Amino acid sequence: MAKFSYTCSKCGTGHTKWAGQCDSCQSWNTLADQGPLSAGPSKTLGSKRGRSIALTDLATIEEPPPRTKAGVAELDRVLGGGLVQASALLVGGDPGIGKSTLLLQAAAKFARNGLKVIYVSGEEATAQVRMRAQRLGLTDSPLILAAETNLRDILTTLDEEKPDLVIIDSIQTMWTDHIEAAPGSVSQVRSSAHELTSYAKRKGVSVIMVGHVTKDGQIAGPRIVEHMVDTVLYFEGERNHQFRLLRAVKNRFGPADEIGVFEMTGKGLVEVKNPSALFLSERGKPTPGSAVFAGIEGTRPMLCEFQALVAPSPHGQPRRSVVGWDGQRLAMILAVLESRCGIPFTGLDVYLNVAGGMRVTEPAADLAVAAALVSAREDTPLPKDAVIFGEISLSGALRPVSQAESRLKEAQKLGFYQALAPTSKKIETIAGITLRPVTDLASLVEELFGPC
Ligand code: TYD
Ligand code: MG
């Protein structure tokens, strides 16, 4: 067994010797002398016998875990139908995005629904939390507050108080006194998260931890925290947009990839019941470069608008700027447009945005992106009443995507009449929407803009 003397502060990988770059996550200057990541078995198990463990079969019927609903539909759905008793959760997000606001509101609701909830803030004094609660109109909730960062004291108090739910805001401010490292360091975060998770399992109490995320989207401190907990939720959005998305990236008790949509208002976070309508609300008259994508987020169809701008570049190396989508994927689509459809983007700056601060990860958005790009380049608007979806392969062929029918139904609800999507059938009408079949990228370009 190798003896690790250095630990990467980003991914938590142990190293035997120091190096400038972590060979696991490739980040620079992150190796620190943090002691061993895990002591590991230093000797073989030897001849000492353990106790026998319980063995069971597959057929035993398991009771579903007890859940409590917050009464906030968007949050309950992301949790997979409510908060599971004795579960450990991590809520990650950029500083200032609204994690404390979300959890204070959720905690107050859970407390109103009969749970004994303790909200421990390591970042703000109780007076500050109370002031925020007043502004959010939550003061009538029987929520219990504390401001503390010493985990030993917190756990002792929790043992006495016996709550049903504990919120820890944030895990980076907590410290345990048996480790000599600053709060927020890898070993402190790891140890605090471990203590809290095992407390949750031991006492049957749900624990929600807040974690700040680094700029590139990773929860600061070891990724190990993500493995320890049952559920990881990300709270994301653009700071200067009012929309916020709560996304389940891991959930042992429900579907991952589920999202909840909120709007940040002067009175805190308000759930958005019909996100498609909201994301499309800024659309005015048809503009070149705008394409509506019929997507699926988790289990729910959601429409959003891609906006592209193509302009002659004053630079030798044209700009490629993307917000809300993957830059690599954009490069791929530009390459396919150039080599399979003969539409070059050389010498042109390309900007691509998803309206409203939404972030799209589905490959099904390829076709909408391609349509937005060509529409911007040709300075010709797309039909206002059309939604677009489909995955593009490197050959320029289109792959059908899953759940086409629910995408079309959502589009119909929002007043669209036609859809451009890959399908093997001739023109057909589903859910009141005319489906115009396209087989490859070149045929889409021809269908929309004529022969190029
Ligand atoms: P906060 O919950 O403190 O963020 P985090 O815990 O993720 O760091 O949210 C802070 C931001 O939210 C702050 O910029 C102000 C804004 N905000 C509102 O717009 N309305 C509100 O009612 C509240 C409480 C905050
Ligand atoms: Mg906060």
Side-chain angles (χ1 to χ4, degrees):
M1 174 88 191
K3 255 184 88 183
F4 297 131
S5 318
Y6 298 92
T7 308
C8 171
S9 61
K10 194 155 166 206
C11 67
T13 307
H15 295 258
T16 46
K17 53 178 193 286
W18 194 86
Q21 188 182 23
C22 170
D23 54 17
S24 172
C25 68
Q26 312 299 331
S27 31
W28 288 92
N29 296 326
T30 51
L31 260 56
D33 187 358
Q34 295 274 9
L37 182 67
S38 103
S42 52
K43 300 191 195 96
T44 55
L45 286 175
S47 57
K48 188 168 171 249
R49 278 172 64 84
R51 60 182 176 83
S52 335
I53 58 167
L55 304 172
T56 183
D57 58 17
L58 283 175
T60 309
I61 293 172
E62 201 65 54
E63 286 283 311
R67 289 179 187 267
T68 312
K69 284 199 161 51
V72 181
E74 294 296 303
L75 174 64
D76 290 333
R77 196 191 32 255
V78 175
L79 290 172
L83 182 71
V84 175
Q85 194 192 335
S87 59
L89 292 88
L90 179 67
V91 177
D94 289 326
I97 205 72
K99 300 180 296 298
S100 302
T101 310
L102 174 76
L103 287 173
L104 187 63
Q105 286 183 270
K109 293 248 175 177
F110 280 121
R112 274 191 201 132
N113 292 354
L115 295 188
K116 180 168 180 182
V117 190
I118 302 188
Y119 182 104
V120 184
S121 177
E123 303 196 335
E124 290 163 305
T126 38
Q128 264 173 302
V129 181
R130 209 176 290 124
M131 254 161 57
R132 182 184 299 210
Q134 265 161 16
R135 200 145 46 82
L136 301 174
L138 304 172
T139 34
D140 61 331
S141 164
L143 176 66
I144 306 166
L145 295 183
E148 186 52 66
T149 56
N150 182 333
L151 202 66
R152 189 182 295 275
D153 297 347
I154 292 174
L155 287 173
T156 307
T157 314
L158 294 180
D159 272 343
E160 289 161 8
E161 291 289 326
K162 303 194 173 32
D164 302 303
L165 167 65
V166 181
I167 317 273
I168 301 288
D169 186 1
S170 64
I171 191 69
Q172 274 103 349
T173 56
M174 297 295 140
W175 60 281
T176 48
D177 48 21
H178 66 278
I179 291 180
E180 277 188 34
S185 64
V186 183
S187 42
Q188 282 290 6
V189 169
R190 188 176 59 215
S191 144
S192 304
H194 175 75
E195 293 291 336
L196 286 162
T197 312
S198 59
Y199 161 77
K201 302 294 160 195
R202 217 172 47 237
K203 303 280 175 175
V205 177
S206 307
V207 175
I208 304 182
M209 298 172 243
V210 172
H212 293 298
V213 162
T214 53
K215 259 196 246 91
D216 54 358
Q218 293 196 350
I219 292 193
R223 300 301 302 259
I224 283 178
V225 177
E226 292 193 27
H227 303 301
M228 278 185 215
V229 295
D230 301 303
T231 303
V232 179
L233 308 178
Y234 273 90
F235 202 45
E236 54 189 38
E238 295 291 322
R239 197 83 73 84
N240 32 11
H241 281 99
Q242 70 270 44
F243 312 124
R244 298 285 183 272
L245 303 180
L246 185 65
R247 194 184 288 272
V249 291
K250 162 183 171 181
N251 197 349
R252 286 197 186 132
F253 303 112
D257 273 344
E258 194 66 85
I259 71 165
V261 185
F262 295 87
E263 192 177 348
M264 183 59 98
T265 69
K267 288 207 150 68
L269 290 155
V270 180
E271 56 181 322
V272 174
K273 296 250 163 66
N274 188 350
S276 301
L278 194 75
F279 286 123
L280 296 181
S281 62
E282 291 166 17
R283 267 167 33 102
K285 61 178 188 356
T287 337
S290 150
V292 177
F293 165 54
I296 299 276
E297 286 291 341
T299 54
R300 177 165 58 168
M302 193 175 297
L303 303 194
C304 59
E305 183 194 358
F306 276 94
Q307 299 168 338
L309 179 67
V310 174
S313 176
H315 312 288
Q317 177 110 23
R319 283 180 77 100
R320 303 283 182 253
S321 160
V322 195
V323 179
W325 208 53
D326 179 20
Q328 302 278 351
R329 201 91 194 161
L330 172 67
M332 183 204 105
I333 288 174
L334 290 173
V336 175
L337 278 171
E338 175 151 3
S339 50
R340 308 292 173 197
C341 311
I343 306 175
F345 284 82
T346 21
L348 297 170
D349 283 341
V350 175
Y351 300 88
L352 183 76
N353 256 0
V354 184
M358 174 79 187
R359 192 165 63 83
V360 179
T361 49
E362 260 194 298
D366 290 354
L367 201 58
V369 171
L373 290 171
V374 180
S375 158
R377 190 183 179 280
E378 303 295 310
D379 203 21
T380 312
L382 296 166
K384 194 177 184 333
D385 60 354
V387 294
I388 306 174
F389 56 89
E391 186 180 340
I392 300 175
S393 71
L394 287 181
S395 65
L398 302 182
R399 297 196 194 108
V401 297
S402 62
Q403 304 183 55
E405 203 166 325
S406 25
R407 295 173 200 263
L408 294 174
K409 278 196 189 134
E410 179 76 1
Q412 189 266 340
K413 263 199 273 169
L414 285 143
F416 290 85
Y417 292 108
Q418 47 174 329
L420 289 134
T423 156
S424 49
K425 303 201 186 90
K426 288 236 170 64
I427 293 186
E428 58 174 335
T429 306
I430 299 173
I433 295 236
T434 309
L435 188 57
R436 287 163 66 181
V438 277
T439 48
D440 55 29
L441 195 52
S443 74
L444 171 93
V445 172
E446 197 169 325
E447 173 106 15
L448 289 173
F449 307 101
C452 28

